[in-house]
């Protein structure tokens, strides 16, 4: 979604595609490259219609993708599992932002250094983290399979907006 677009314009565009299906636009937020992202909560039928192809909001084409909720581990700072199932090292005392011990991310003034992958320039759970990306890909594959086999029909699904200019 372009920064010029309003949630109202988006709603009109979505309505056109899904007609009377129940839906709610939530959490409109800034995204990369001066665009905006939003979460759409809607029925499975509507979500599938929306995901068929891009949608035009105002003058811009928007892409939609299913939102994938990642499990987060508060012990080793990795994603894809929870601390209960964690087999990784205990990094719970480390700062989520810089990886050092003795303070919390909220009060951290250091440069970002991911405690999970040890790379500089991002914090734990960041979309830039290669560990995060790897887990996300795994989660996507799993989800695809589930949709194909149609073993589970959830009534409400979340769809995330991502804009293409
Ligand atoms: Zn863990
Ligand atoms: Zn820190
Ligand atoms: Zn990382």
């Amino acid at each position: 979604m372009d920064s010029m677009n309003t949630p109202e314009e988006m709603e009109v565009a979505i309505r056109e595609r899904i007609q009377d299906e129940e839906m709610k636009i939530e959490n409109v937020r800034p995204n990369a490259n001066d665009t905006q992202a939003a979460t759409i909560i809607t029925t499975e039928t509507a979500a599938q219609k929306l995901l068929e192809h891009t949608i035009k909001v105002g003058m811009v084409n928007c892409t939609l993708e299913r939102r994938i909720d990642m499990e987060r581990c508060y012990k080793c700072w990795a994603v894809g599992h929870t601390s209960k199932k964690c087999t990784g090292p205990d990094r719970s005392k480390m700062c989520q932002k810089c990886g050092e011990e003795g303070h919390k991310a909220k009060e951290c003034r250091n440069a970002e250094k991911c405690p999970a992958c040890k790379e500089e320039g991002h914090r734990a759970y960041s979309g830039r983290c290669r560990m995060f990306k790897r887990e996300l890909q795994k989660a996507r594959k799993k989800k695809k399979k589930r949709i194909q086999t149609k073993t589970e029909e959830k009534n409400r699904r979340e769809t995330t907006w991502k804009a293409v200019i």
Side-chain angles (χ1 to χ4, degrees), residues 126-138:
S126 158
R128 277 182 286 176
C129 181
R130 61 188 156 89
M131 289 175 75
F132 187 93
K133 280 186 202 154
R134 200 174 55 209
E135 290 302 324
L136 191 65
Q137 261 167 8
K138 264 198 239 165

Side-chain angles (χ1 to χ4, degrees), residues 72-79 81-83 85-89:
R72 293 171 174 206
C73 177
Y74 294 99
K75 194 180 146 221
C76 75
W77 295 120
V79 286
H81 65 267
T82 56
S83 55
K85 293 181 200 152
C86 184
T87 51

Side-chain angles (χ1 to χ4, degrees), residues 94-100 103-105 107-111:
M94 285 182 178
C95 168
Q96 189 187 335
K97 190 183 149 203
C98 74
E100 277 177 26
H103 64 267
K104 294 234 158 68
E107 49 219 40
C108 178
R109 298 195 172 185
N110 296 334

Side-chain angles (χ1 to χ4, degrees), residues 7-153:
E8 288 73 38
E9 280 181 299
M10 187 157 80
E11 190 166 346
V12 171
I14 295 168
R15 273 277 160 245
E16 225 167 82
R17 176 87 55 93
I18 67 168
Q19 311 294 323
D20 295 330
E21 295 279 352
E22 190 188 320
M23 71 110 169
K24 210 164 101 193
I25 297 173
E26 264 183 8
N27 195 14
V28 179
R29 56 195 181 273
N31 201 22
N33 305 323
D34 280 338
T35 61
Q36 288 183 85
T39 303
I40 303 157
I41 301 165
T42 186
T43 61
E44 175 59 21
T45 325
Q48 281 182 3
K49 277 187 199 161
L50 288 170
L51 290 162
E52 274 169 18
H53 41 91
T54 57
I55 197 163
K56 206 156 192 180
V57 181
M59 301 296 290
V60 245
N61 274 321
C62 294
T63 52
L64 294 103
E65 58 182 40
R66 270 185 205 279
R67 182 186 161 123
I68 295 170
D69 286 320
M70 300 279 282
E71 284 178 325
R72 293 171 174 206
C73 177
Y74 294 99
K75 194 180 146 221
C76 75
W77 295 120
V79 286
H81 65 267
T82 56
S83 55
K84 274 187 200 142
K85 293 181 200 152
C86 184
T87 51
D90 188 353
R91 302 189 182 117
S92 57
K93 285 194 186 71
M94 285 182 178
C95 168
Q96 189 187 335
K97 190 183 149 203
C98 74
E100 277 177 26
E101 290 187 17
H103 64 267
K104 294 234 158 68
K106 253 192 275 176
E107 49 219 40
C108 178
R109 298 195 172 185
N110 296 334
E112 288 183 334
K113 190 178 174 192
C114 175
C117 76
K118 311 275 185 241
E119 255 169 49
E120 287 174 19
H122 67 265
R123 57 176 71 196
Y125 310 143
S126 158
R128 277 182 286 176
C129 181
R130 61 188 156 89
M131 289 175 75
F132 187 93
K133 280 186 202 154
R134 200 174 55 209
E135 290 302 324
L136 191 65
Q137 261 167 8
K138 264 198 239 165
R140 281 210 173 109
K141 263 187 212 151
K142 243 194 242 165
K143 201 142 201 169
K144 227 184 200 169
K145 240 190 202 162
R146 217 172 63 191
I147 292 163
Q148 278 165 357
T149 52
K150 282 191 182 156
T151 48
E152 203 176 345
E153 277 275 300

